[in-house]
């Protein structure tokens, strides 16, 4: 707060539908939650007065179990609050905090839990209380479970209820940050408060816009929540009068100018009521400005007020013990506190190759042991039949070039692209002297049938005896598994269909640990790739034709592997060290670590968004 004196006493309220903090609190599903968790940890490290607001999902996100023929099955296990680092939040007079939100003609009660994230406190709403109807008790049971109606009710509870949580706790945030559109209804509750306190509707909207930050993460139209006007009307009946609005004007807040009859669009709504909007990479900023230009008619794309702040990763969370020791020895003992300083990272070139190679080999062995231990546990608990032993990775070779692919199995991420021409990938895998192997991990949303089919296809390849033993699928991908993967593979593979990757952060975690990135030029890699710090699949002219795009990208992926990556990895000197490979490893660490860490990211949020939002002067674009 020393750099931001006017923020010293200003609290930033950070709303998110999920937070990935640690395995012991399973309230995250993927990248959005992990980013929110890293954001909170970095705010704590920097001493920023931030408070988080989310849901206490008693069943968390699902556990993934694989059937013998490779179909993902979802298993939910009750979250044990007694064994977790959480406690009830108390109001200033020492009472357990409780809120209530009127919805669809009846009140829903929420109790509030708190989690300490260093110096930051995270507050979590829970509806599993006896005062609620059975179906309302289930409202906060699962992350991204249930139908559109459940989703809408969750989002009202998160936004409207979230504001009421802070009021009940006696916290008065100066800045309100909605991480994605799920919590955007917080703006309505704040307008309502101001109108009820005597402000005009227009004045109230000005005050709320000025102090609201909105981060959009979705470059695909299907990724934005849209609710029917009927649903909105049903749940907010009686509410819009308290805002000084008519029903029609209220519903228009969420209408998309290009398709006003399509329903209430949460992103369009958030952008209308937030004065500070950002995308999550330079490329995503461009895509978002083009995508939402109709909200600012008559403005040139480069004048549209959507900034970009590229996502980063919290270095202390994602660093391995082995690399941390190397950095402490050769960079600086306090390297993590200076993670955004490029000068520190230039010292990576001074790390002796043999020490770096030794650390990388140790991390790979650690990954292999982890995978074998996972398979052993599954076997002992009767979850694994003899034939999936191949698929589980027990036969992986610690000496072989290992590619990692771990992320949500949404179809646009194209997990199966590397199998496009089987004979070529088979040749690489079966090469006696220079073998290649691949480790997959990831969940598909239980309702995403095409995503589940992708997992099934990958699993089938894992059991194929021609390439079996060289392809593995690690089940139940979570933060714990992710760490072993970003530490232990040799190359991190990323093949989304451009321009659908808003940012992506898994490759940043890998690069921090000395694992170079092999990716299409989308998301963060479009600004991170410099020609020497990893590999890029070049853009094609086939945008809009997904089959041609797949063929183009697969061809370039194979060429990079055959001509550049595999030969370089196996080119060893007399000491058995791949000097050329380690040059790329060092370049990856040196260029990615300082630019793509949350230390740089959160400082940018402070300078570009939080400081202007906390100041009473309206910013001029």
């Amino acid at each position: 707060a020393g750099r931001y004196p006017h923020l010293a006493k200003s609290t930033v309220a950070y709303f998110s539908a999920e937070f990935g903090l640690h395995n012991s609190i399973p309230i995250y599903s993927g990248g959005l939650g992990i980013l929110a968790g890293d954001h909170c940890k970095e705010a704590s490290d920097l001493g920023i007065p931030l408070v988080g607001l989310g849901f206490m999902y008693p069943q968390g996100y699902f556990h993934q179990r694989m059937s013998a023929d490779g179909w993902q099955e979802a298993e939910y296990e009750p979250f044990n609050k007694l064994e977790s680092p959480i406690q009830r939040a108390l109001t200033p007079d020492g009472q357990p905090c409780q809120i209530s939100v009127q919805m669809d003609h009846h009140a829903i009660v929420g109790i509030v839990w708190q989690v300490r994230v260093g110096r930051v406190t995270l507050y979590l709403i829970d509806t599993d209380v006896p005062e609620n109807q059975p179906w309302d008790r289930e409202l906060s049971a699962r992350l991204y479970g249930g139908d559109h109606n459940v989703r809408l009710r969750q989002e009202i509870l998160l936004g409207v209820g979230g504001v009421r949580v802070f009021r009940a706790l006696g916290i008065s945030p100066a800045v309100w940050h909605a991480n994605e559109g799920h919590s955007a209804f917080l703006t309505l509750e704040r307008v309502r408060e101001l109108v009820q306190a005597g402000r005009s509707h227009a004045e109230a909207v000005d005050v709320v816009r000025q102090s609201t930050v909105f981060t959009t993460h979705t470059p695909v139209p299907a990724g934005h929540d849209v609710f029917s006007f009927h649903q909105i009307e049903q749940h907010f009946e009686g509410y819009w009068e308290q805002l000084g609005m008519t029903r029609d004007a209220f519903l228009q807040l969420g209408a998309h100018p290009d398709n006003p009859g399509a329903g209430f669009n949460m992103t369009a709504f958030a952008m209308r009521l937030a004065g500070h909007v950002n995308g999550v990479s330079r490329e995503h900023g461009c895509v978002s400005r083009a995508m939402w230009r109709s909200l600012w008619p008559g403005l040139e794309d480069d004048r549209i007020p959507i900034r970009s702040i590229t996502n980063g990763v919290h270095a202390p969370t994602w660093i391995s013990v082995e690399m941390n020791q190397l950095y402490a020895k050769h960079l600086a003992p306090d390297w993590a506190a200076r993670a955004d300083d490029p000068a520190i990272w230039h010292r990576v070139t001074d790390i002796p190759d043999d020490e770096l190679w030794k650390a990388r080999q140790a991390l790979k062995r650690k990954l292999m042991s982890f995978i074998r231990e996972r398979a052993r546990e599954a076997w002992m608990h009767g979850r694994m039949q003899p034939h999936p032993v191949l698929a589980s990775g027990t036969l992986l070779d610690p000496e072989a070039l290992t590619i990692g692919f771990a992320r949500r199995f949404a179809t646009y991420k194209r997990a199966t692209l590397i199998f496009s021409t089987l004979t070529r990938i088979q040749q690489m895998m079966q090469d006696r002297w220079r073998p290649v192997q691949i480790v997959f991990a990831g969940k598909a949303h239980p309702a995403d049938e095409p995503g589940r089919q992708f997992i099934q296809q990958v699993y089938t390849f894992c059991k194929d005896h021609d390439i079996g033993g060289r392809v593995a699928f690690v089940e139940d991908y979570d933060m714990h598994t992710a760490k072993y993967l970003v530490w232990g593979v040799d190359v991190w593979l990323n093949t989304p269909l451009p321009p659908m990757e808003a940012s992506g952060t898994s490759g940043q975690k890998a690069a921090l640990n000395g694992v170079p990135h092999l990716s299409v030029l989308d998301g963060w890699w479009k600004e991170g790739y410099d020609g020497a710090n990893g590999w890029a699949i070049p853009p094609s002219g086939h945008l809009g034709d997904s089959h041609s795009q797949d063929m183009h990208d697969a061809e370039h992926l194979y060429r990079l592997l055959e001509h550049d990556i595999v030969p370089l990895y196996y080119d060893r000197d007399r000491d058995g060290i791949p000097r050329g490979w380690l040059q790329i490893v060092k370049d990856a660490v040196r260029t990615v670590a300082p630019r793509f860490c949350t230390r740089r990211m959160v400082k940018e949020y402070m300078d570009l968004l939080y400081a202007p939002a906390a100041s009473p002067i309206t910013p001029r674009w």
Side-chain angles (χ1 to χ4, degrees), residues 235-256:
H235 285 84
F236 280 101
E237 199 181 336
Y239 189 88
W240 54 78
E241 291 92 336
Q242 298 177 55
L243 307 173
M245 295 184 82
T246 64
R247 167 190 167 280
D248 286 353
F250 181 80
L251 295 177
Q252 280 308 302
L253 284 174
H256 195 303

Side-chain angles (χ1 to χ4, degrees), residues 15 53 55 99 101 125 152-166 176 181-190 239 266:
F15 285 63
L53 194 287
F55 273 123
I99 52 130
V101 177
I125 300 172
L152 174 58
R153 292 155 78 89
Q154 283 186 334
E155 296 192 4
I156 293 170
L157 200 60
L158 184 63
V160 175
V163 176
R164 293 181 186 176
V165 166
F166 288 128
W176 302 75
H182 309 120
S183 56
F185 289 131
L186 72 89
T187 54
L188 289 183
E189 176 64 4
R190 293 185 57 226
Y239 189 88
M266 291 299 287

Side-chain angles (χ1 to χ4, degrees), residues 428-607:
M428 285 186 256
M429 289 178 165
Q430 292 168 346
D431 188 311
R432 280 186 61 187
W433 308 110
R434 303 192 308 187
V436 171
Q437 59 193 13
I438 311 174
V439 182
F440 287 92
K443 297 173 177 177
H445 187 283
D448 177 9
E449 203 45 47
R452 288 179 72 240
Q453 281 173 355
F454 263 42
I455 291 180
Q456 205 271 336
Q457 284 170 29
V458 166
Y459 209 79
T460 306
F461 287 122
C462 295
K463 284 162 45 183
D464 180 328
H465 281 266
D466 280 344
I467 53 176
R470 294 278 184 224
V471 188
F473 186 91
V474 181
E475 72 176 14
D476 206 24
Y477 183 48
D478 58 12
M479 270 183 91
H480 188 57
T481 311
K483 286 181 179 180
Y484 282 95
L485 286 160
V486 297
W487 296 342
V489 298
D490 296 305
V491 177
W492 197 259
L493 178 63
N494 185 41
T495 50
L497 189 64
M500 292 190 174
E501 182 94 298
S503 174
T505 56
S506 58
Q508 299 169 355
K509 294 160 193 153
L512 174 69
N513 285 288
V515 178
H517 206 214
L518 163 57
S519 172
V520 299
L521 284 169
D522 197 10
W524 76 276
W525 192 230
K526 191 157 184 180
E527 65 199 79
Y529 175 62
D530 70 0
N533 61 352
W535 300 274
I537 295 168
S540 80
H542 301 297
L543 279 179
D545 173 359
S546 60
H547 178 71
S548 304
Q549 175 91 39
D550 288 355
M551 291 299 95
H552 167 277
D553 291 355
E555 175 59 32
H556 283 277
L557 171 58
Y558 292 140
R559 272 193 221 162
L560 282 167
L561 285 167
E562 290 161 349
H563 301 296
D564 298 349
I565 297 170
V566 176
L568 192 63
Y569 182 79
Y570 285 106
D571 181 14
R572 310 287 166 91
D573 68 3
R574 274 187 298 192
D575 297 328
I577 293 172
R579 306 275 173 190
W581 181 266
L582 292 175
Q583 188 53 53
I584 288 192
V585 167
K586 288 178 179 181
D587 281 339
V589 175
R590 182 179 54 78
T591 57
V592 173
R595 280 180 60 198
F596 300 99
C597 60
T598 45
R599 185 141 290 224
R600 184 270 316 154
M601 177 190 92
V602 172
K603 284 179 180 176
E604 282 188 14
Y605 272 102
M606 290 292 283
D607 291 334

